[in-house]
Amino acid sequence: MNRPASLTAVSELALDYARIRAHSLELIQGLSHEDCQLQSMTDASPLKWHLAHTTWFFETFILAALPEPPPVIDQAYKVLFNSYYVGIGERHLRAERGLLSRPTLEEVLHYRQQIDEQMQHLLSSPSQRTKLAALVTLGLQHEQQHQELMLTDLKHHFSCNPLMPAWRTNAPEQCSAIATEPYPYREFTGGLCEIGASDASFSYDNEGPYHRVWLEPFLLGERNVSNADYMAFITDGGYQRPELWLSDGWDWVNQRQARAPLYWLQTADEPWQAFTLAGRQALNLEAPVCHINLYEADAYARWAGARLPTEAEWEHAARTAPDLAGLFGQVWQWTNSAYLPYPGYQPAAGAVGEYNGKFMINQMVLRGSSCATPAGHSRPSYRNFFPPAAQWQFSGLRLARNP
């Protein structure tokens, strides 16, 4: 997926477009119209809205910007499916996306079909492919981000139903097996290192510029922390020990009466269970712990006599030791780095520049990718970011220590 947006790559752009757009529809197979309408909290959006918003992106930033744009499908969609692009215009309230029973799912799918036909016609022209390759690639990467959000949001929607419905028969978050031996570390010498996007493959603007950082020697975990590891923290009273928690984290624990990661379930003296994308299951102790927030990750690290890595440490390790287990495809890994611009960062021009830069406040960086991340969407320089209290993503942790 992450090929250069060059003359050698744009010949495959139409195929990439069709494949990625089709995957969004695969994610809703077997779901009802009601399933696609749910909105369980402000941070999570209905699947129907995700399908429409990703289509709105192509209509707004590519088709509408053509010298002779096609007719707008529906003027109301410009407001209903705008997420946070102030430069584009008015936006429907995020917390009320679940109230949009109209347009119907059929109308949204028809909207997708219409825009797909216009886009494929556009991409059939070699000159247009060359001119628009970078922006189309951004739109496809944007859609892949929303494909992951579709799964994280659907899981939260379903978790609010006492019937605990399943999306599929297998639970991807429980599939990865992690050895249960004492937590192993690998040593890195540090020094003057380079991080950030540097080659011609796709990257978001927040991944650059490529720059140098100084790293002191450090140790990084050979694997992600497992459910069994985290269970020991709970058993040792981790959620009742204020000395382990950041001040905001301890407030969060008491406000939420938190006692375990999101989706962990226990009744009476029965073994722990977990709500998964395949419904309620016995908790797989060998799987990586997930659905923990920054506060929980930091408290666990303190309890373990360790710390969270910086994002520069994580990226340097991922580049120089790609054999570390679970860097990608298991859980996003919290770092203790605030989401801030790199030296020399400049957002893209125009409304599309709102994509990343304006969120560089009150958020923390996660690295890697999760079991819900589409194939080909991961890279060492990728910077994911969420508020420190966010749990509904497939987020876990990898420990770091000073030598």
Side-chain angles (χ1 to χ4, degrees):
M1 175 59 206
N2 298 323
R3 290 183 295 273
S6 64
L7 289 175
T8 59
V10 292
S11 61
E12 300 181 24
L13 199 55
L15 293 176
D16 283 344
Y17 181 92
R19 173 179 59 81
I20 291 173
R21 294 281 286 172
H23 183 60
S24 296
L25 301 183
E26 292 170 5
L27 295 178
I28 67 167
Q29 288 183 4
L31 298 177
S32 68
H33 292 196
E34 293 83 356
D35 292 334
C36 296
Q37 183 67 39
L38 296 171
Q39 184 178 20
S40 52
M41 62 174 176
T42 301
D43 287 338
S45 299
L47 269 63
K48 183 176 75 174
W49 186 90
H50 285 295
L51 294 172
H53 167 70
T54 50
T55 304
W56 169 93
F57 190 96
F58 287 106
E59 182 181 34
T60 301
F61 290 110
I62 296 177
L63 295 173
L66 294 173
E68 297 182 7
V72 174
I73 301 297
D74 191 316
Q75 289 291 342
Y77 292 1
K78 296 175 66 175
V79 175
L80 295 180
F81 304 129
N82 181 357
S83 55
Y84 50 73
Y85 294 93
V86 179
I88 295 297
E90 188 180 353
R91 300 161 312 286
H92 183 73
L93 287 176
R94 181 176 183 178
E96 297 182 0
R97 290 170 183 170
L99 301 179
L100 298 175
S101 60
R102 307 294 175 87
T104 65
L105 179 60
E106 287 89 350
E107 289 171 322
V108 166
L109 294 178
H110 183 56
Y111 174 44
R112 286 181 67 90
Q113 181 182 0
Q114 290 175 289
I115 296 301
D116 285 348
E117 290 173 356
Q118 294 175 7
M119 285 295 301
Q120 289 290 9
H121 176 73
L122 188 66
L123 295 175
S124 67
S125 165
S127 61
Q128 291 284 23
R129 287 201 308 268
T130 302
K131 183 189 304 182
L132 299 171
L135 198 52
V136 174
T137 301
L138 175 63
L140 295 177
Q141 292 279 326
H142 168 257
E143 180 133 1
Q144 287 186 308
Q145 286 183 312
H146 278 270
Q147 288 167 354
E148 179 162 4
L149 287 171
M150 287 171 71
L151 295 185
T152 57
D153 291 2
L154 179 66
K155 183 173 180 178
H156 194 272
H157 302 330
F158 274 1
S159 74
C160 297
N161 187 334
L163 299 178
M164 295 193 173
W167 170 71
R168 293 288 191 269
T169 56
N170 295 318
E173 63 268 53
Q174 295 238 79
C175 291
S176 299
I178 293 178
T180 56
E181 72 268 4
Y183 194 78
Y185 289 90
R186 189 174 303 187
E187 186 171 357
F188 294 86
T189 57
L192 191 61
C193 306
E194 296 176 321
I195 67 168
S198 61
D199 54 25
S201 61
F202 174 84
S203 62
Y204 290 113
D205 58 7
N206 66 353
E207 297 174 54
Y210 191 64
H211 63 286
R212 294 175 296 176
V213 296
W214 178 268
L215 298 178
E216 296 296 328
F218 66 97
L219 305 175
L220 188 69
E222 293 269 3
R223 60 170 175 82
N224 294 314
V225 170
S226 70
N227 285 328
D229 296 328
Y230 201 86
M231 183 73 76
F233 167 73
I234 295 175
T235 302
D236 196 40
Y239 282 88
Q240 291 81 44
R241 295 172 55 180
E243 73 273 15
L244 297 175
W245 295 80
L246 295 167
S247 178
D248 285 351
W250 186 242
D251 289 343
W252 174 85
V253 167
N254 286 284
Q255 290 166 3
R256 298 289 297 271
Q257 291 297 298
R259 295 294 181 267
L262 184 65
Y263 304 132
W264 281 31
L265 307 166
Q266 188 180 43
T267 57
D269 295 326
E270 295 180 0
W272 282 95
Q273 294 185 315
F275 179 74
T276 75
L277 286 169
R280 186 168 184 155
Q281 294 187 348
L283 182 68
N284 177 7
L285 293 177
E286 294 186 354
V289 65
C290 66
H291 298 300
I292 60 172
N293 61 27
L294 181 279
Y295 301 136
E296 293 170 293
D298 182 81
Y300 176 88
R302 293 169 190 265
W303 173 83
R307 60 175 175 83
L308 298 180
T310 67
E311 65 168 321
E313 288 173 335
W314 190 98
E315 182 173 333
H316 173 66
R319 291 186 182 279
T320 58
D323 61 315
L324 288 169
L327 289 171
F328 302 99
Q330 291 186 356
V331 290
W332 290 99
Q333 296 134 67
W334 284 105
T335 74
N336 71 351
S337 295
Y339 178 51
L340 295 172
Y342 286 158
Y345 168 77
Q346 290 292 332
V352 76
E354 298 183 52
Y355 199 110
N356 284 309
K358 70 180 186 180
F359 297 109
M360 292 176 174
I361 185 70
N362 299 331
Q363 315 236 36
M364 299 296 286
V365 173
L366 302 95
R367 290 304 197 105
S369 65
S370 81
C371 59
T373 308
H377 192 66
S378 307
R379 52 192 171 271
S381 61
Y382 196 110
R383 306 175 77 198
N384 203 353
F385 54 93
F386 281 99
Q391 287 180 295
W392 94 108
Q393 294 300 310
F394 290 93
S395 51
L397 80 154
R398 180 184 301 268
L399 297 176
R401 291 180 64 184
N402 301 325

